[in-house]
Amino acid sequence: MLKKISRVWVIAFVICFLTLLLPEKGFADYPIFSQRYTADPTAVVYNGRLYVYCSHDSDVTPGQSNYNIPDITCISTDDLKNWTDHGEVFNAKRDSQWAGVSWAPSIVYRNNKFYLYYGNGGNGIGVAVSDSPTGPFKDPLPKALITGNTPGVQPAPNMWLFDPGVFVDDDGQAYMYFGGNGENNIRVIKLGSDMISTVGSAMSMSAPRFFEASYMHKYKGKYYFTYASDFSQGASKIEYMMSDSPTSGFTYKGVVLPQPPDNYNNNNHHTIVEFKGNWYCVYHNRTVAKQRGEDAVYQRNVAIDQMFYNSDGTIKQVVPTVDGLTQLKYVNPYIENAAVTMHKESGIETEECSEGGRNVSFIQNGDWIQIKGVDFGSGGATSFEARVASDTEGGNIEVRLGSPTGKLIGTCKVEGTGGWQKWTTKSCSISGATGVHDVFFRFTGGSGYLFNFSWWKFNSDAVPTPTTSPIPSPTPVVGRSAFSRLEAEEFNDIKSSTIQTVGTAGGGSGIGYIENGDYMVYKSIDFGTGATKFKALVSTTGTPNIELRLNSPTGTLIGTLPVASTGGFNAYEEQSCNITKVTGKHDLYLIFSGAVNIDWFTFDEDGGTGSIGDVNGDGEIDSTDVTVLKRFLLRKTSLTGNNLSNADTNGDGEVNSTDLTLLKRYILRKISSFPI
């Protein structure tokens, strides 16, 4: 075990204290990795695994006013839930002859080698090469690959020479996109077949509000240039352009990823990658630092979400999730599994292991790690093995299911081995582990550091029968019947900087964190011979409106649902309104005036004219209709179609305070019918 600086003891105390207060508190699914601060991801797929390389944000020092990124960290997964920590794979000061830092990498696999491109701050771009995805990477050049003197770079006022995005086209030609700090400060240059040289001069590109993070990918013959926008619109977003060429003819298309939660309207950086038949957007925010109460400016963490394309090739805006992605396959517990492969953790760190790879280290009482979706099969596990080392008296590994304090199925005692890298295998019996579970290894013992942990394995007396692994979410289908139940999260486009998918009361998912002015688009909705009523399952603490418009955000208004408070965002109710009859196929826009969660919606053909007094179109005349009509008269909401007609309780062709008075009298049973 390496010796920590004194600051670590403060952090350890804080973590331990928080653990005592919140024994089951861990980091959300949303950050995929929390052992170190990471940002600016790039990714490559190799041998069935997704490898993500990140800038490593080092610990913040007093008075720090810039990023401190000395090295590049690599993590990988084969199931999108459990990530293996490969540690530091490149350090510019150690592994190059010219650079001092390594910012915002880009990774390419070609010629049976891995090429890792990086920025020396904003002062040039270098390249490092390895035979393995986990390194070691070494810079083969005694100098930068891209400088201000590279042909075609100038003139470039205030250009940052960093953020390389390397793309290899179908014909084998490789391109590097780079630059920053200005709409016209984008350059693209061809790379030689050796991937460590350039060909010709750099070509200029421009993009609306371009700030940094150039990236190129290709999908069904189209080229997609994605980038981080500047702050002229209040927050940096990942936006994109499309073209039939990798270097010219681009047309701006919109936003790929809005400002994610817990990013404090700060910078972002992304990569887009296809893995096992689905597309994903990897990016960063500042969730981990926020949860730890640390500096959230210069300490970031990486997140990942699935990305979808519309039928016309445009990108459906990515919605940052809370619960993360679907696990692609379950973990086999009956083989040796690296302890540094985990879903969540609390308190631990990792370091290089003398037996190869890395090990979990700096373990203290109450720390834990979680492995997501472990499949024990029908036979079940009967024993557990762990590879451990300790220079103290050791401690215990509690094997639990479901949570750090969940069902205890075994305890493995770890004794001192005479050194932090002197390894031995400990075992214990296990009882009650069948089927699929989240496994928690909870570490207990005395004060100080307990032991290091390298790998684990379960054993079974029976032949395990594996459970079928889950299937990732399919790409949403474009072209749907208005009369089917339409899930809110299956939109085709979106305008929002806050919207997220959320869990719903029925165990499903919906859309939440909606703000005033947000909207969602559902393309090619078939209304058939006519729809006259809209219904939705919603929850809110306020009284927002949902406008229904056709074909554009300012298109034909067919109705407005005045959402009544349900008493909480977890209290879902079905609410409805009549709409102006609409036929045929249209793009449907749901436009929100305030905070509301929406699970699903649908349309009916039987709305008819409704009943006089039924202002909200729910089939009943009650106090809710009074509230809706009052808000309409105060100009806080709008009424259209049958809802407006039903509000005219005296039948004089106008909706005014007289109609409100009559509606109140009807509810109080002072009159028995409308109109008068």
Side-chain angles (χ1 to χ4, degrees), residues 485-511:
R485 192 165 105 170
L486 300 166
E487 299 294 337
E489 65 271 21
E490 294 182 355
F491 55 80
N492 298 109
D493 203 357
I494 189 174
K495 176 197 173 279
S496 174
S497 61
T498 60
I499 280 178
Q500 299 180 46
T501 56
V502 296
T504 59
S509 57
I511 294 296

Side-chain angles (χ1 to χ4, degrees), residues 615-627:
V615 182
N616 69 341
D618 66 353
E620 299 181 359
I621 302 174
D622 52 26
S623 59
T624 302
D625 298 293
V626 173
T627 300

Side-chain angles (χ1 to χ4, degrees), residues 531-535 548 558-562 576-581 606-611 614-619 639-644 646:
T532 54
K533 189 173 185 178
F534 172 78
K535 296 190 296 186
L548 286 73
I558 61 171
T560 300
L561 174 62
S576 63
C577 68
N578 292 328
I579 63 171
T580 302
K581 187 174 181 178
D606 60 353
T609 61
S611 301
D614 183 14
V615 182
N616 69 341
D618 66 353
L639 293 174
T640 60
N642 294 322
N643 297 61
L644 182 62
N646 294 340

Side-chain angles (χ1 to χ4, degrees), residues 472-488:
S473 303
T475 301
V477 177
V478 176
R480 290 159 286 180
S481 169
F483 309 111
S484 63
R485 192 165 105 170
L486 300 166
E487 299 294 337

Side-chain angles (χ1 to χ4, degrees), residues 256-322:
V256 175
L257 176 75
Q259 179 74 192
D262 298 334
N263 204 42
Y264 301 97
N265 290 332
N266 215 311
N267 70 342
N268 213 323
H269 196 117
H270 71 295
T271 192
I272 294 171
V273 61
E274 184 181 15
F275 181 57
K276 298 187 178 181
N278 289 284
W279 287 86
Y280 300 93
C281 180
V282 194
Y283 55 97
H284 69 238
N285 69 357
R286 290 156 167 85
T287 298
V288 174
K290 176 187 176 183
Q291 292 176 335
R292 288 173 172 168
E294 298 184 0
D295 190 324
V297 177
Y298 302 115
Q299 298 187 128
R300 299 160 292 178
N301 58 265
V302 173
I304 182 171
D305 279 295
Q306 193 166 352
M307 189 183 82
F308 301 99
Y309 297 88
N310 298 313
S311 60
D312 62 357
T314 56
I315 298 173
K316 175 183 171 182
Q317 186 169 311
V318 174
V319 178
T321 58
V322 176

Side-chain angles (χ1 to χ4, degrees), residues 501-569:
T501 56
V502 296
T504 59
S509 57
I511 294 296
Y513 298 95
I514 295 169
E515 295 185 346
N516 180 43
D518 291 351
Y519 65 74
M520 297 184 294
V521 187
Y522 303 84
K523 293 191 175 183
S524 193
I525 302 300
D526 189 356
F527 293 91
T529 59
T532 54
K533 189 173 185 178
F534 172 78
K535 296 190 296 186
L537 189 65
V538 294
S539 64
T540 184
T541 58
T543 53
N545 292 327
I546 305 176
E547 289 187 356
L548 286 73
R549 293 184 179 269
L550 301 182
N551 304 319
S552 81
T554 57
T556 302
L557 178 67
I558 61 171
T560 300
L561 174 62
V563 182
S565 174
T566 65
F569 286 101

Side-chain angles (χ1 to χ4, degrees), residues 388-447:
V388 293
S390 177
D391 199 35
T392 63
E393 296 181 355
N396 303 293
I397 303 175
E398 295 180 353
V399 185
R400 295 182 177 269
L401 304 181
S403 78
T405 57
K407 179 182 178 181
L408 180 66
I409 62 172
T411 300
C412 188
K413 182 174 177 58
V414 178
E415 299 169 333
T417 65
W420 295 115
Q421 292 293 322
K422 291 186 177 181
W423 296 94
T424 188
T425 303
K426 298 292 184 179
S427 62
C428 62
S429 58
I430 294 293
S431 169
T434 60
V436 178
H437 298 274
D438 291 354
V439 172
F440 286 77
F441 298 127
R442 188 171 186 267
F443 310 113
T444 62
S447 60

